[in-house]
Amino acid sequence: MKLQFDPSLTYQQEAVAAVCDVFEGQTAKPALFTVADNLEEQFAAGQNLYSTQQGVGNLLRLDREDLLKNVRAVQARHGLPQSERLGQELHFDIEMETGTGKTYVYLRTLLELNKRYGFTKFAIVVPSNAIKEGVKKTLDITKEHFRELYNNVTYDYFVYDSDHIEKIRDFAVNTDIQIMVIIIDAFQKKMNLINRDNDKKFGGVRPIELLRETHPIVVIDEPQSTISTENQLEAVRSLHPLCTLRYSAAPVRVENKLYKLDAVDSFNKKLVKGIEVDSFAVQDAHNDAYFCLKSVDNRRSPITAKIEIDKQMKSGAVQRKPVTVRQGDDIYEKSGGRDVYAGYIVNDIYCGAGEEYVDFTSRPEVLHLHEVVGEIHADAIKRQQMRATIEEHLEKELLLQPKGIKVLSLFFIDKVANYREYDDEGAHKGKYALWFEEIYRDLIGKPKYRELRKAFHGAEVKAGLVHDGYFSTDKARKNAAARWKDTRGTTQADDSAYNLIMKEKEKLLSFDCKVRFIFFPFGAQGRLG
């Protein structure tokens, strides 16, 4: 499968132009600086950097007044609040909803900035390995597209790796467009290799100094995570950026916003689908009489007990609240008139040490201290949610699979161990993986899904092939999850989920790949697009 890119999407063109128009009036002449070959030459020349080689850096020739004028013009065009001033550092915010091609947009913006103004040095700072790999993959799959779009322009890109720190020198001295992708953690600490003197490869100069000399235009991907601390902000400042372009779906610190495409705009433009939510925890958990005996008190008369119940509030919402009761109290009244508590009259409150309880008139329940009655177990709710998701997925496949469209469903989970457990022998399926396979086999076996079953499985349903997960622990364990042992003791071969999700999107989107359900940790920074 080869992914195709449409360069004519209006909203993406607007986002690109919003940034580029800020520099209207900038000449296209590059700035040159020198790079030292060795420490002796630096001292002999009486300067920090010296060499016969030439380094190329970005140089801003516009004054602040012209920049502010351009910024305000862009903001007026998009109906955004006008900036009163730019500040000492140049920060620009671009808000784009997840799923609208944010990574594509900022990569195209960098190439457009080069085309218009000759800027050549760009750094993309990301919060995590997962996003780093996602950006690298987008660079890989858009290379042919961008070269067609920009008249076969030559540009180099690399992911920063301290094991190959010499690429920093290449970045500095190369006259072609240079794009570096780097994780914030790789340069925010003084102990990071990039911040330390390097006699062997840099003649005693710190690699970060070469980056500073280039004054890169710095893209901050997901700034709410990438620059959420003062140390991270200072790390970005240490690059001496010409400016920072901050792309986010959920901006926090906003300065000089140039473009906005939020969730509502994206939905109205039919760029993303509405979010479908199936709720179980609230809807089902309050349909039975819920009790939890928190305490009993016989220190004064009358004896009382504190019981947690589901109470109808004045707003109409049902909330779990503790209430104090005594013998003869009607729980129906205490609950705000909820019918599920009709007939629950407190009969007796017993305070014997180790045997505390409350019972009710005309009801069989005897409620012991800290005992819960009527609670839907959290696992039961999660199983319902999983079943609803799988069933909804299969319904979509009935419609889309005949049209050649593959459906993917994501599960964001609370704890990695619930999906995948590790020991010295490898990885084992956790309860979520086992539930999934049990539910999937049950649902795919229905007559209505016969054609799907035939298309995806043939004669035998192998539920273990249709789901996988990516977690940072997998990489730490050298992709131990690539082969995992199930509870029956057999071993299942599978592609590395990390490679499949982060590096092989074409394969993931192909019907040749069996994976259609993906598990991520809740709050994961990974993404598919």
Side-chain angles (χ1 to χ4, degrees):
M1 173 183 287
K2 183 179 180 179
L3 299 177
Q4 302 294 319
F5 297 90
D6 184 354
S8 64
L9 299 178
T10 301
Y11 75 94
Q12 293 185 344
Q13 292 176 334
E14 290 174 347
V16 173
V19 173
C20 294
D21 289 352
V22 165
F23 301 97
E24 188 66 37
Q26 166 82 10
T27 59
K29 184 178 179 180
L32 300 182
F33 67 90
T34 59
V35 178
D37 274 342
N38 57 64
L39 196 59
E40 290 182 0
E41 288 184 351
Q42 291 182 54
F43 286 127
Q47 58 186 25
N48 290 328
L49 299 172
Y50 174 81
S51 174
T52 56
Q53 290 179 298
Q54 293 293 320
V56 180
N58 296 325
L59 179 62
L60 182 62
R61 298 179 180 276
L62 288 178
D63 59 32
R64 291 297 176 114
E65 185 178 341
D66 288 335
L67 275 174
L68 181 57
K69 181 180 177 181
N70 290 343
V71 167
R72 290 170 66 86
V74 170
Q75 291 169 333
R77 186 165 78 215
H78 294 294
L80 296 171
Q82 298 276 289
S83 296
E84 295 183 4
R85 59 186 181 85
L86 294 177
Q88 187 64 30
E89 300 168 341
L90 293 178
H91 303 302
F92 303 109
D93 278 277
I94 301 90
E95 180 180 352
M96 295 187 71
E97 179 64 15
T98 299
T100 58
K102 186 163 78 272
T103 307
Y104 172 91
V105 164
Y106 68 63
L107 293 179
R108 182 169 173 180
T109 298
L110 303 187
L111 296 176
E112 187 68 25
L113 285 169
N114 171 263
K115 178 182 177 181
R116 293 198 196 184
Y117 311 116
F119 296 131
T120 59
K121 301 302 166 71
F122 306 99
I124 301 170
V125 183
V126 300
S128 67
N129 278 311
I131 292 186
K132 177 193 72 177
E133 293 296 345
V135 174
K136 170 63 164 56
K137 180 61 180 179
T138 303
L139 280 162
D140 290 339
I141 62 180
T142 57
K143 193 170 186 177
E144 181 179 339
H145 166 75
F146 282 141
R147 285 186 171 166
E148 290 178 359
L149 199 60
Y150 287 94
N151 197 28
N152 289 319
V153 64
T154 299
Y155 65 95
D156 299 318
Y157 59 87
F158 70 99
V159 174
Y160 172 78
D161 179 352
S162 61
D163 289 338
H164 300 283
I165 200 165
E166 68 278 359
K167 289 189 176 181
I168 296 294
R169 176 179 286 277
D170 297 336
F171 177 92
V173 303
N174 201 303
T175 57
D176 294 327
I177 300 169
Q178 298 292 304
I179 301 173
M180 176 181 69
V181 183
I182 186 168
I183 302 175
I184 187 69
D185 286 347
F187 68 103
Q188 69 169 317
K189 299 175 182 177
K190 290 183 179 180
M191 67 181 68
N192 291 135
L193 193 60
I194 197 172
N195 291 319
R196 288 154 50 187
D197 292 342
N198 192 312
D199 292 332
K200 184 176 181 181
K201 296 181 179 179
F202 291 86
V205 175
R206 292 180 296 156
I208 193 74
E209 292 175 5
L210 291 188
L211 287 179
R212 288 174 179 168
E213 292 289 343
T214 70
H215 294 292
I217 291 176
V218 176
V219 170
I220 308 294
D221 196 327
E222 306 291 357
Q224 70 277 9
S225 301
T226 308
I227 51 173
S228 61
T229 69
E230 189 57 39
N231 284 342
Q232 291 171 333
L233 284 167
E234 188 57 37
V236 173
R237 291 189 190 104
S238 75
L239 297 176
H240 292 186
L242 181 142
C243 69
T244 61
L245 308 176
R246 306 189 299 200
Y247 288 80
S248 174
V252 178
R253 308 179 186 187
V254 177
E255 298 179 59
N256 306 311
K257 180 173 284 189
L258 302 177
Y259 187 74
K260 178 182 178 183
L261 185 70
D262 61 16
V264 174
D265 296 328
S266 301
F267 181 75
N268 289 338
K269 292 176 184 289
K270 299 182 179 180
L271 303 177
V272 297
K273 300 294 184 183
I275 298 174
E276 301 173 19
V277 178
D278 288 318
S279 176
F280 300 96
V282 174
Q283 178 178 319
D284 295 317
H286 299 310
N287 287 343
D288 294 320
Y290 165 83
F291 298 92
C292 179
L293 180 57
K294 296 293 188 179
S295 63
V296 295
D297 187 353
N298 63 354
R299 292 174 296 176
R300 59 181 62 87
S301 182
I303 298 172
T304 60
K306 186 170 287 186
I307 302 176
E308 187 177 62
I309 63 173
D310 290 334
K311 187 174 181 179
Q312 184 90 30
M313 311 304 290
K314 290 182 179 180
S315 65
V318 176
Q319 295 184 14
R320 198 149 283 179
K321 296 283 187 180
V323 297
T324 300
V325 300
R326 63 189 65 183
Q327 189 178 32
D329 278 353
D330 189 340
I331 303 300
Y332 172 80
E333 294 179 359
K334 292 282 186 178
S335 72
R338 299 197 69 235
D339 290 339
V340 293
Y341 290 109
Y344 284 94
I345 310 296
V346 177
N347 177 58
D348 187 21
I349 301 173
Y350 182 69
C351 300
E355 297 180 349
E356 301 92 335
Y357 71 83
V358 172
D359 66 7
F360 304 95
T361 303
S362 303
R363 290 288 180 175
E365 286 87 346
V366 174
L367 191 61
H368 297 278
L369 188 62
H370 305 309
E371 182 182 11
V372 174
V373 172
E375 171 77 296
I376 295 180
H377 194 276
D379 280 359
I381 296 173
K382 291 171 184 175
R383 285 179 66 99
Q384 289 180 36
Q385 291 174 321
M386 186 176 289
R387 186 179 186 87
T389 300
I390 297 171
E391 193 159 21
E392 181 69 20
H393 176 105
L394 294 175
E395 289 296 314
K396 284 183 169 62
E397 284 187 330
L398 285 178
L399 296 174
L400 299 176
Q401 192 269 343
K403 299 179 181 180
I405 300 173
K406 184 174 180 178
V407 180
L408 294 175
S409 291
L410 307 184
F411 291 97
F412 290 92
I413 63 175
D414 51 358
K415 192 163 70 170
V416 174
N418 285 333
Y419 178 76
R420 184 177 286 148
E421 299 175 335
Y422 303 90
D423 60 21
D424 293 339
E425 296 180 3
H428 304 262
K429 295 174 185 176
K431 63 181 180 180
Y432 291 168
L434 296 173
W435 293 350
F436 174 89
E437 294 182 13
E438 175 190 339
I439 295 167
Y440 179 83
R441 280 191 293 265
D442 179 52
L443 290 174
I444 198 70
K446 290 184 176 182
K448 67 185 297 187
Y449 302 128
R450 182 180 295 109
E451 292 303 315
L452 290 179
R453 191 166 62 251
K454 186 186 302 182
F456 290 115
H457 296 286
E460 181 184 359
V461 173
K462 296 181 179 180
L465 297 179
V466 304
H467 69 101
D468 209 333
Y470 166 60
F471 312 103
S472 59
T473 49
D474 293 341
K475 197 173 184 186
R477 294 169 184 269
K478 299 181 180 179
N479 286 321
R483 297 181 65 85
W484 64 0
K485 190 177 293 182
D486 65 22
T487 54
R488 295 186 299 272
T490 59
T491 300
Q492 172 187 302
D494 202 356
D495 291 323
S496 161
Y498 176 83
N499 288 330
L500 182 64
I501 296 168
M502 304 313 303
K503 297 183 178 181
E504 302 173 350
K505 292 186 176 70
E506 302 95 328
K507 183 175 181 179
L508 178 62
L509 296 173
S510 168
F511 284 107
D512 292 335
C513 173
K514 300 295 185 183
V515 174
R516 290 136 61 212
F517 300 87
I518 302 171
F519 288 78
F520 278 106
F522 182 76
Q525 300 293 345
R527 61 187 178 194
L528 295 178

